[in-house]
Amino acid sequence: MSGPRFFNTLTKAKDALEAQPGFDRARVRMYVCGPTVYDFAHIGNARPVIVFDVLFRLLRHLYGPAHVVYVRNITDIDDKINARAAEIAAARNIDVEAARVEITQATARQYLEDVTALGCLPPTHTPRATDYVREMVAMIATLVADGFAYAADGHVLFEVARKADYGKLARRSLDEMLAGARVDVAPYKRNAMDFVLWKPSDDKTPGWDSPWGRGRPGWHIECSAMAAALLGETFDIHGGGIDLVFPHHENEIAQSEGAHHGYALARIWMHNGFLNVEGEKMSKSLGNFVTINELLKDWPGEVLRFNMLRTHYRQPMDWTVAGMNESWKTLEKWYAAAEPIADPRIGDAFLAALCDDLNTPQAIAELHKADARELAGGLGLLGFSNVQLRIAQKVALDTAWIADAIAARNAARKARDFKESDRLRDELLAKGIVLKDGPDGTTWEVKR
Ligand code: AMP
Ligand code: ZN
């Protein structure tokens, strides 16, 4: 096998990872833009997390877990966060900074819980932007000193005209960008496309000291500074959703290359396609905004994960209840066939599919063909074990049967036939169903 190839947004070709200049199989490095933490993550946000977790697992399999470094940041400085913090601060009469800390920590914790339930491994590092402000300030100072950026009116701006190849990732010229983008025209900008590296904070807004006064970093510089601190100037793979190509990733490239004497930020840029829900774009106003947290109340995490991976990561995806039901049925069938295996052998065709630009639909097709032994190993690489599937199987039990058993047990209890009612409770327990008797009757849940 010639090693994995991935579609590179920068070259518009499937590039061989191991053929990249400077590739070191002893230290394979990837960075994925993480969440802005002020609200529950939705199922669209779950797509890059799951996709790049499969990539992380594949790289660990190919090069060894100790040789892969994966960074996924937490954006905890942001104007949407500040707006939410200001509301909370006003309502509870507390400091805005205290509210910001509270909301970002609670949301980050929730996010970690949600994506763990989706079978995602913790990345090697999950840096918070607030812990890297010093590095951001230093990088901005370098950009100013080298003529890529200028200070004006308490702001520092990146001057796009100073970077000759600005637009190389998005493949747009400055004129096209100007025509297509909603740019903030501001009197302190030399060019409308110049973007903010640093902006001033008033007394009520979270801020940090800097050579340009008290302020806060722009979003793009956060990723450039955290990536440099944890992965070095150049690393192997940078990932995120397709919506981040422009301006976020274009600007990350401009800043990092500007501050690092032109050395490339990442060799391969990977972007997942967008996810719609039942054929429509997700939005709060349409009322079809589905959070991971809500979905996990109705579906096992591995069903969500499997459903996500049935579509190739670069394709647009339609998230439907019908698709989820199909995914669940497939997993149940496989579960019934698979034996837990301590040291699984991975099918070559399965691995080859993942090495071909993370072709999970093809890998899953191979699993349909594979024998139980290969199947178990393959599932490990896709991110769930058949131990987890066993739980899924329990949840998939016929709920009508459970309701009948509960009714029979209640009837036995009413007739004071406690031997029979205990027998029914134990029969349910043996199938992993725990009964709870409360004032409103008997409910059940799956034993964890
Ligand atoms: P955000 O918190 O909005 O910056 O998004 C976090 C990640 O989720 C980014 O990589 C986005 O590209 C990605 N993302 C957001 N919405 C969707 C969607 N509907 N489909 C796929 N990816 C998305
Ligand atoms: Zn980023």
Side-chain angles (χ1 to χ4, degrees), residues 173-219:
S173 69
L174 262 184
D175 287 344
E176 283 168 328
M177 285 181 237
L178 256 179
R182 275 175 294 168
V183 288
D184 300 323
V185 183
Y188 49 79
K189 283 190 185 179
R190 291 184 189 161
N191 182 310
M193 290 308 294
D194 293 351
F195 60 89
V196 166
L197 300 171
W198 189 262
K199 52 188 152 188
S201 291
D202 61 24
D203 292 348
K204 292 202 182 84
T205 309
W208 290 260
D209 289 330
S210 84
W212 315 283
R214 187 173 170 279
R216 58 199 190 279
W219 172 37

Side-chain angles (χ1 to χ4, degrees), residues 10 49 63 82 90 125 142 193 199 201 209 220 252 295 304 348 433 439:
L10 199 57
V49 187
Y63 305 110
N82 289 344
H125 303 285
T142 302
M193 290 308 294
K199 52 188 152 188
S201 291
D209 289 330
H220 316 306
E252 280 187 29
L295 283 168
L304 300 182
D348 286 349
I433 304 298

